[in-house]
């Protein structure tokens, strides 16, 4: 080899290292002034080594019933493998910071909701066509709290004697579920199937964004009859907080859908207004904080706040009632109401621009009332290019959104990417939700790596884990970690820190939470360093 | 509505229009100084209207055997619908400019190759295990030209008397294909299946990048026994050019794989060296040009040139023979050899960096020999993030690649995106290839819209249409057009113009081709304006 070639090799290698560093220079873990500790460098090496080894072992093995095992694969199919990995075991111990994109109606394990609901004799269920073995998947239960005067004696939904449409006490419906439909187990399966998406639906029968959304929306229509009942509401929220804490989540900003104006009480009357929803939410926050304090671990939970949400199927005039309601709640619960959003299937409901006038009016009204309720909009949760859902990104940003919910199509918009980086508009990225809702076929096709390299702040979020089965945040961190050779321990740390930095907390609260986080992070790094199978 | 809200609405709408224009300002069709003609604006409107209407009609209809019809859907499943659309009919008349990314071994309709091969009695076929109804898909034919002395009398591959491994004249094999395996039609199906990817393979049995590449590579291993036979080589290339011209392609830069050092002659001897491959290629170019001239349409074909390619399974030392071979061919055929590339499955073969020394040496040797053979590298044809295949993008660019083949993962790299835009490194984007080879599940998930908005020059390419069934370029333009509301007629025009601008033609040749193109484009716009069903 001639001398000039050797010199050229050295030049190339130096230029290569510089170009790679430059290309990754905007990444949040690299942009930080703080150097990684020696310990973190070593823990990163260990974790990468385990990832590489598992890619070659457990993901290469034959798994009966799993056609194409692969790190980052379809979550619903791959979950059973994920649960066997050491990477998952380790990440489950990782402090996650804040959960910033989550819909209250889908935050608690479905079996927990079932068991909780069975405790209350006022919870009834009905079906609107006869239940048969053939229609179990589509014949969805309807739930309701009834006043005592309307309690029934019906003993089963599946008896020949059941008058279709009649309310049956939930416990009776379960006990009396026909043996040929599986008995109590069959009932539980029917219940859980109605509230979750299964792999056949996501990857076969409903394998488009439009079709899977039909199933997705139906889970909310079904669960709302249980969750919007005062005693369940309270217990459900508590379980949501406790299970989040168990997964290393220290703080939550949850979207509550205020479309229905009342929830049911234990007396079966639908008369509990929004202010009580929020009051109870606040009481549960205090309750859980006190419980943690009693356990001597006050630091694990800084609390939870609410992003007021309603649905993009309203008329512009119809929205005014909700913005006024939101202002009233903000005035009564200034520490709990911290943002406003419009939700629902973006590809089929109205775009943000449709609500331009009421939203601007809302802003004016906030000034008049002396409150500040930032927009935290869903936008760009779509495969569309230049469609209304995609264009929502422009409107969300022009309206001053503090964060972007999903922002799946953001990467198509170079100027918006720059704006998000420069103005600190974080994207609430929901990897598993995006995949199950068919925006991407696996984590490997997700635009997250492009956003990260562009220095866009990102908080990983679970969106609707009760429907998807990705309870907590560990599954989402797992999918992101295993689908990239660039992502390392410091990437995960940066994602967790950004979830705190881009929360709606006050600077003082953020500092408090970050201080706790850094201590937890050090402990986690030590845990990785001493990890043995 | 208060007065300030109305003013705010106007402000918002003005800011919105400006932001959208700014965000799309780098797009190649917008970056051009030349304004669109009034005619083109109207033709664009017509074409968009047809697209919208077809999205709501033909794509919404029930199609037996097509589970999820959708514009931009999986090509192999949706092709039958595509062929029924008016958008396809119109785009088939569009001038396409140049075809810049295509592998010669997969450029001709498989049935044509079958019929062509049947003409030559020296073409024989064998199988290496007994053919049965159960193994037709995996028991691949092996083809070879034999010297007359080795011609056989075998009459069938499927007879009980067939000695497995023995050569059978191709025509005999077809005529004698067992009736229970479908007879001649069964043979044709077996032949075509061996050289193409079917929807079940792409979307079910081989539905990962790694698995579909196994099938993909097998099609080349099979077809090479036919294509690398001198008379077939000549006729195959001619058909490639003629069918390209029929689809509106005016100029071609094709990758030829020179891995095998000789091809077979009509005498069954494997002794025809690379210089004859290139000579014949040049003769066919002249032949077709003269044929066009005779037909009075000389302007439809400016010619075709060769990107010398070999495979990334070589050792670095082994590469030296090929780079010297390439230099020798360049000296003998300076107008035909216009670039150098390394091909093969990027995720599993060696990365570019592995060949750094021989590639730098190659560059030195070119200087010594007074030739210039630019690199036109495949890079980033991968779902990997930070994997060797993804890192190929850095090395390709640092080595001065003139274009990037595929660049599927380019969008993850903000600095490389900037470099491509600023230095004019075009990306050869192969939409249908990417989808069938499982980098994306549909055009809707493809990163092309992000590249376009980032102002990266793009040439749409067909890659391996004989294997994918996307003959010509119309199918690829179709998929790109229907999967986006941003893409319009002018986008398609910009893509076609960039295929000329970023070709390896001399400035004079480019001007010549562009002049022809502009005239064709005007005619096409007129055609759209007068289009009736």
């Amino acid at each position: 080899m001639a001398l000039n070639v050797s010199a050229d090799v050295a030049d190339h290698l130096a230029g290569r290292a510089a170009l790679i560093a430059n290309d990754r220079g905007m990444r949040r873990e690299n942009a930080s002034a703080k150097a990684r500790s020696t310990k973190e460098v070593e823990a990163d090496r260990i974790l990468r080594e385990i990832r590489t080894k598992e890619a070659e072992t457990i993901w290469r093995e034959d798994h009966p019933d799993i056609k194409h095992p692969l790190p980052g694969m379809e979550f619903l199919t791959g979950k059973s493998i994920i649960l066997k990995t050491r990477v998952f075991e380790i990440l489950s111990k990782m402090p996650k910071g804040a959960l910033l994109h989550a819909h209250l109606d889908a935050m608690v394990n479905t079996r927990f909701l079932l068991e909780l609901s069975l405790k209350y004799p006022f919870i009834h269920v009905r079906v609107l066509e006869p239940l048969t073995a053939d229609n179990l998947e589509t014949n969805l239960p309807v739930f309701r709290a009834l006043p005592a005067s309307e309690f029934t004696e019906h003993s089963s939904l599946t008896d020949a004697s059941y008058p279709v449409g009649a309310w049956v006490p939930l416990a009776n419906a379960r006990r009396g579920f026909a043996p040929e439909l599986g008995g109590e187990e069959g009932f539980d399966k029917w219940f859980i199937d109605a509230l979750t998406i299964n792999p056949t639906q996501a990857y076969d029968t409903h394998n488009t964004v439009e079709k899977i959304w039909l199933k997705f929306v139906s889970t909310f229509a079904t669960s709302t009859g249980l969750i919007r009942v005062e005693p369940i509401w309270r217990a459900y929220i508590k379980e949501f907080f406790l299970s989040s804490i168990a997964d290393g989540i220290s703080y939550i900003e949850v979207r509550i859908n205020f479309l229905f104006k009342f929830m049911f009480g234990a007396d079966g009357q639908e008369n509990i207004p929004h202010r009580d929803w929020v009051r109870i939410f606040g009481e549960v926050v205090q309750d859980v904080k006190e419980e943690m304090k009693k356990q001597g671990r006050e630091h694990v939970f800084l609390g939870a706040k609410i992003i007021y949400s309603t649905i993009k199927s309203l008329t512009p005039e119809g929205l005014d009632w909700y913005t006024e309601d939101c202002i009233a709640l903000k005035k009564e619960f200034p520490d709990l109401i911290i943002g406003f959003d419009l939700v629902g299937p973006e590809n089929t409901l109205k775009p943000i621009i449709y609500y331009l006038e009421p939203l601007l009016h809302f802003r004016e009204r906030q000034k008049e009332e002396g409150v500040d309720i930032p927009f935290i909009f869903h936008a760009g949760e779509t495969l569309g290019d230049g469609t209304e859902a995609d264009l929502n990104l422009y409107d969300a940003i022009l309206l001053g959104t503090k964060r972007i919910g999903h922002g799946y199509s953001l990467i198509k918009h170079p100027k918006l990417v720059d704006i998000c980086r420069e103005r600190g508009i974080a994207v609430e990225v929901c990897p598993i939700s995006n995949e199950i809702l068919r925006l991407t076929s696996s984590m490997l096709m997700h635009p997250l790596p492009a956003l990260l390299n562009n220095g866009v702040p990102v908080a990983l979020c679970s969106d609707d884990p009760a429907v998807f089965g990705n309870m907590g945040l560990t599954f989402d961190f797992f999918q992101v970690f295993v689908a990239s050779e660039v992502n390392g321990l410091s990437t995960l740390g940066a994602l967790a820190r950004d979830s705190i930095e881009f929360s709606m907390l006050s600077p003082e609260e953020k500092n408090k939470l970050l201080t706790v986080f850094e201590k937890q992070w050090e402990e986690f790094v030590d845990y990785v360093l001493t990890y043995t199978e």
Side-chain angles (χ1 to χ4, degrees), chain A:
Chain A
M1 194 65 56
L3 186 65
N4 47 359
V5 167
S6 301
D8 286 351
V9 166
D11 280 357
H12 181 96
L13 296 178
R16 183 182 207 256
L19 183 57
I20 294 176
N22 186 18
D23 191 44
R24 296 180 185 168
M26 290 188 287
R27 288 174 71 88
R28 301 279 302 164
E29 71 264 37
N30 298 336
S32 155
K34 204 177 148 214
R36 294 190 302 167
S37 68
T38 318
K39 277 185 173 182
E40 181 163 330
V41 171
E42 174 61 9
D44 179 53
R45 193 195 58 72
I46 291 171
L47 201 53
R48 285 174 184 269
E49 194 173 284
I50 296 172
R51 175 175 67 191
T52 302
K53 191 172 167 197
E54 291 188 334
E56 295 302 321
T57 52
I58 188 162
W59 291 105
R60 286 273 168 194
E61 287 163 18
D62 257 355
H63 295 275
D65 308 327
I66 301 179
K67 211 178 258 177
H68 306 296
L70 197 70
M73 71 180 290
E74 300 91 326
F75 175 70
L76 298 174
T77 313
K79 185 174 175 183
S80 62
I81 304 179
I82 293 173
L83 288 167
K84 289 180 201 158
T85 66
R86 291 177 294 154
V87 169
F88 182 81
E89 186 193 351
I90 293 170
L91 296 187
S92 70
K93 305 293 192 298
M94 192 188 105
K96 309 297 191 305
L99 171 58
L100 300 185
H101 189 112
H103 296 273
L104 185 65
D105 287 340
M107 297 316 297
V108 167
N109 186 295
T110 307
R111 188 166 287 277
F112 181 94
L113 178 62
L114 169 58
E115 285 163 14
L116 177 63
S117 304
L118 283 165
K119 288 182 188 165
Y120 299 103
F122 48 78
I123 295 294
H124 289 62
V125 58
R126 65 178 181 179
V127 288
L128 299 173
E129 56 176 320
L131 257 183
T132 66
D134 292 338
N135 70 11
L136 276 175
E137 185 175 324
T138 51
N139 195 357
L140 301 176
V142 181
F143 301 108
R144 233 197 91 169
L146 290 188
S149 61
E150 294 176 30
F151 284 11
T152 75
E153 303 283 318
H154 292 299
S155 59
S156 167
L157 291 169
T158 55
D159 258 18
S161 70
Y162 170 67
V164 167
W167 295 107
V168 180
L170 189 65
N172 291 7
R174 181 168 191 265
R175 228 175 1 248
F177 213 65
E180 59 273 23
L181 297 181
E184 295 195 355
E185 270 180 43
F187 174 87
D188 294 355
K189 186 176 179 314
W190 177 62
F191 180 98
I192 290 169
D193 282 353
L195 299 184
T196 55
I197 294 175
N198 68 42
T200 302
Q201 291 159 346
Y203 310 134
D204 182 9
T205 58
H206 293 61
N207 187 11
T208 68
V209 174
E210 187 176 322
K211 289 177 184 169
I212 197 66
W213 264 89
L214 298 177
K215 166 66 190 176
F216 183 52
V217 165
S218 82
T219 66
F220 290 94
T222 306
S223 64
T224 197
L226 297 172
I227 298 170
R228 275 182 179 63
V229 181
E230 193 269 337
I232 296 181
W233 176 258
R234 187 182 291 271
Y236 184 97
I237 292 172
K238 184 165 181 177
E239 170 63 15
F240 166 34
F241 295 164
L242 291 175
S243 61
S244 297
I245 292 167
D247 195 57
I249 294 165
S250 302
Y251 167 67
I252 294 164
E253 292 178 359
V254 66
R255 281 161 171 89
I256 296 183
N257 181 351
F258 286 96
L259 182 70
F260 296 116
K261 294 182 181 173
F262 299 95
M263 69 166 72
F264 287 79
D267 60 2
Q269 301 301 322
E270 191 180 8
N271 60 7
I272 298 183
H274 290 171
R275 58 186 302 276
D276 290 316
W277 305 16
V278 177
R279 176 182 52 75
I280 296 167
F281 183 94
E283 287 167 8
V284 178
V285 171
Q286 286 314 314
D287 178 18
V288 170
K289 288 177 86 159
E290 275 156 34
E291 201 166 309
M292 292 302 115
K293 194 169 181 179
K294 272 186 212 146
Q295 295 174 13
R297 45 190 205 120
E298 199 180 349
H299 64 282
V300 299
F301 187 58
L302 193 97
K305 298 176 189 261
I306 297 167
I307 299 171
Y308 185 106
S309 305
T310 187
I311 293 200
K312 283 184 266 203
S313 52
L314 296 168
T315 61
E317 297 70 34
L319 186 58
D320 287 333
W321 187 89
Y322 291 93
T323 55
E324 287 302 315
D325 182 49
C326 180
I327 288 172
L329 292 175
K330 176 69 181 178
K331 291 174 87 168
E332 187 169 357
F333 306 98
D335 291 341
L336 286 176
I337 303 291
I338 48 89
F340 181 88
D341 191 13
L342 294 168
V343 304
E346 238 184 301
N347 289 306
T348 48
L349 297 186
K350 296 296 181 188
I352 293 174
I353 190 81
Y354 180 70
Y355 300 103
L356 183 58
E357 291 206 15
L359 290 172
L360 292 172
H361 182 62
F362 180 33
R363 211 154 60 179
E364 291 299 313
R365 287 283 300 127
Q366 289 180 50
K367 284 183 204 158
E368 287 171 16
E369 298 290 335
V371 293
D372 179 29
I373 310 166
F375 295 130
I376 307 176
F377 282 130
H378 276 72
E381 187 185 4
T382 185
L383 287 175
D385 184 41
T387 58
E388 286 186 338
D390 183 33
L391 298 182
N392 274 342
L393 287 167
Y394 297 108
D395 294 303
I397 287 173
L398 286 168
L399 286 166
T401 197
K402 292 287 178 187
R403 297 193 301 261
I404 295 173
H406 290 290
Y408 192 86
S409 70
L410 179 67
I411 195 61
K412 295 177 182 172
H413 304 287
K415 296 302 170 192
L416 303 187
V417 165
D418 290 349
I419 288 173
C420 288
R421 180 180 56 251
E422 287 160 15
R423 297 190 197 160
I425 302 172
V427 181
E428 301 160 354
V429 172
C430 308
I432 290 171
S433 166
N434 295 158
E435 180 263 300
I436 294 177
L437 297 180
R438 307 284 73 204
L439 294 175
T440 182
S441 290
S442 76
M443 260 320 285
L444 299 163
M445 295 181 197
H446 198 285
L448 178 62
L451 289 180
L452 294 178
N453 283 336
N454 272 285
V456 174
V458 167
L460 291 189
C461 309
S462 57
D463 203 10
D464 303 283
V467 182
F468 306 138
N470 58 329
M471 306 310 301
L473 277 171
T474 302
F475 288 109
D476 288 281
F477 273 91
F478 179 93
Q479 290 290 72
V480 166
F481 181 69
V482 300
S484 161
E485 295 290 314
V486 181
N487 294 343
L489 185 59
S490 305
T491 312
L492 305 185
L495 288 164
R497 283 185 191 92
D498 276 354
S499 71
I500 298 170
E501 183 169 341
F502 296 92
S503 71
M504 291 299 113
L505 290 171
S506 69
E508 298 70 35
E509 288 170 316
K510 282 185 193 174
N511 276 340
K512 187 175 164 190
L513 191 49
L514 273 169
T515 306
V516 169
F517 178 83
E518 294 306 339
K519 192 162 175 299
Q520 291 172 323
W521 186 257
E522 270 184 47
E523 288 164 10
F524 174 62
V525 167
D526 284 339
Y527 161 74
V528 177
L529 290 175
T530 57
Y531 178 80
T532 46
E533 286 173 66

